[in-house]
Amino acid sequence: MSGGRGSGSRNKRRQVSDEERAAAAQDYRESVGRLQHTAYRNLRQAIAYATIFVAVVATWMLFIGQATPTSIPWYAVSILSGAFGLATCFVRESRPRLYVLAAVVLAVVGVTGVLLSD
């Protein structure tokens, strides 16, 4: 019953030095870090665009006259969330997380207020 994969020695792998192993591990860590960075950046941008959309809809509702006196402050909060969402497009420091968080909170509060006031 010989044949199979390796009829001789079981260890047919190429021997890797410690330096090569360390370099491969470092390359792997760097590529995972780049992937995480771009994934978080894309998520922040998607959330920012969603809050900008909420602000555009709120502005449109104000212009067409759908707003009642009790819902105007909630529309204003929704528009403010869009302003914070728009700010994330221009800020390139570590602060976009704070702007995105503020935009999401304001958008949720604004939309909830509009729905409850109508």
Side-chain angles (χ1 to χ4, degrees):
M1 287 244 157
S2 68
R5 228 188 315 161
S7 58
S9 170
R10 289 187 77 111
N11 290 333
K12 291 282 187 178
R13 285 194 214 175
R14 181 177 74 90
Q15 295 298 321
V16 179
S17 68
D18 290 337
E19 294 85 22
E20 289 175 334
R21 184 170 294 151
Q26 183 64 27
D27 290 343
Y28 177 75
R29 281 190 211 101
E30 288 174 1
S31 64
V32 168
R34 283 192 305 269
L35 179 65
Q36 287 178 340
H37 176 72
T38 56
Y40 290 140
R41 185 184 64 214
N42 291 340
L43 178 65
R44 284 193 303 261
Q45 285 178 347
I47 292 171
Y49 293 152
T51 59
I52 293 168
F53 176 75
V54 167
V56 168
V57 170
T59 305
W60 179 252
M61 297 297 272
L62 284 173
F63 279 132
I64 65 171
Q66 282 297 115
T68 60
T70 58
S71 65
I72 288 177
W74 302 114
Y75 282 117
V77 169
S78 297
I79 293 170
L80 186 61
S81 76
F84 275 104
L86 190 61
T88 61
C89 297
F90 300 111
V91 175
R92 296 289 178 214
E93 299 171 9
S94 63
R95 285 211 163 120
R97 288 178 259 167
L98 296 176
Y99 288 111
V100 168
L101 179 63
V104 167
V105 168
L106 289 173
V108 168
V109 168
V111 169
T112 304
V114 167
L115 292 176
L116 292 178
S117 68
D118 283 343

